[in-house]
Amino acid sequence: MSFTLPDLPFAKDALGRFMSAETLDYHHGKHHKAYVDKTNQLLGETGLEGRALSEVIRAAKEQGNKGLFNNSAQLWNHSFFWQCLAPPEGQKPTGKLAALIEEGFGDLDTMLAKLKEEAVGHFASGWAWLVLDGDALKITSLHDADTPVAYEGMKPLLTLDVWEHAYYVDYRNERPRFAESVLGNIVNWEFVGKNLDGEGVSRADQGERALTEA
Ligand code: ZN
């Protein structure tokens, strides 16, 4: 069984000016799809076929198989990223998530400013992350394709893709404006809150293990 490109969880024009249909055509339809195809192609040489995506990522890292790690990790990272987004309807964190944000950062604006700072300050390509570290929220970033899936105890809640392909069409080279627009308007806080159960990795997983656990 090979991995597939997950559908976007919203209509291609639903994010309006914050992330255009043209960006999604390229970012989801071409970049994300290329990671899927390349992962499937590389898998054939490894004996890992039929394993869940999360297992392939961890095995590739262990074996030092950089090509497979980079492509499979990017497949997962993007599958998670799309779920972190939702049409701009004034959504805000609620319940336990809102409480943890207040506890860790004082308020939502301060947390978003810190996440933006991490995203903007990250040198070259990578991903800014809000993760659950023990019982507390933590902001961090990972380089290139690197992913929380590969780290024991790093529980992903929310991510922002800061590869240039994520923002060049809509924001040109202005990563700060991209980060502020996306984080301030089109975050799916319901999804972020759900990930407080520590099961975020499984929500962008696919393949055998993901199916049997569902
Ligand atoms: Zn991307």
Side-chain angles (χ1 to χ4, degrees):
M1 202 194 92
S2 40
F3 296 121
T4 54
L5 178 68
D7 289 335
L8 288 172
F10 40 78
K12 214 184 277 175
D13 58 0
L15 306 182
R17 64 191 168 88
F18 302 109
M19 195 178 285
S20 67
E22 187 187 353
T23 284
L24 290 164
D25 263 336
Y26 278 88
H27 197 177
H28 174 257
K30 300 212 188 289
H31 290 282
H32 193 182
K33 180 162 191 307
Y35 296 126
V36 175
D37 292 345
K38 193 75 187 168
T39 298
N40 286 331
Q41 186 193 321
L42 293 171
L43 258 185
E45 306 154 9
T46 59
L48 293 168
E49 269 173 320
R51 305 272 293 276
L53 178 59
S54 56
E55 293 176 341
V56 168
I57 292 168
R58 292 178 189 126
K61 186 178 182 180
E62 231 166 79
Q63 296 167 4
N65 186 339
K66 279 197 176 153
L68 181 60
F69 177 77
N70 286 336
N71 283 283
S72 58
Q74 284 291 75
L75 199 180
W76 185 92
N77 284 341
H78 284 90
S79 304
F80 190 85
F81 177 50
W82 306 130
Q83 297 179 74
C84 291
L85 304 177
E89 289 164 357
Q91 60 270 30
K92 294 274 179 254
T94 55
K96 190 180 169 195
L97 178 62
L100 283 172
I101 288 171
E102 202 175 311
E103 203 179 294
F105 302 93
D107 57 43
L108 177 64
D109 286 347
T110 307
M111 191 276 272
L112 289 179
K114 290 219 158 101
L115 191 53
K116 181 191 161 188
E117 195 183 304
E118 184 81 27
V120 171
H122 183 90
F123 185 72
S125 296
W127 299 78
W129 288 94
L130 177 71
V131 300
L132 188 63
D133 181 32
D135 291 328
L137 302 184
K138 189 178 151 192
I139 285 170
T140 187
S141 54
L142 295 169
H143 290 294
D144 299 323
D146 203 9
T147 177
V149 178
Y151 295 89
E152 197 74 45
M154 192 190 276
K155 294 173 180 146
L157 303 178
L158 165 65
T159 193
L160 183 69
D161 187 341
V162 296
W163 284 58
E164 206 172 65
H165 67 220
Y167 54 87
Y168 202 79
V169 171
D170 295 326
Y171 302 88
R172 293 302 169 196
N173 60 333
E174 296 178 57
R175 192 192 286 185
R177 199 158 59 85
F178 161 74
E180 187 157 324
S181 290
V182 171
L183 295 175
N185 296 284
I186 52 170
V187 172
N188 184 341
W189 291 111
E190 200 190 323
F191 177 73
V192 179
K194 215 189 272 181
N195 292 326
L196 288 172
D197 66 1
E199 299 299 320
V201 169
S202 73
R203 298 199 168 95
D205 206 359
Q206 53 176 294
E208 215 152 84
R209 187 209 230 176
L211 290 176
T212 50
E213 277 181 1

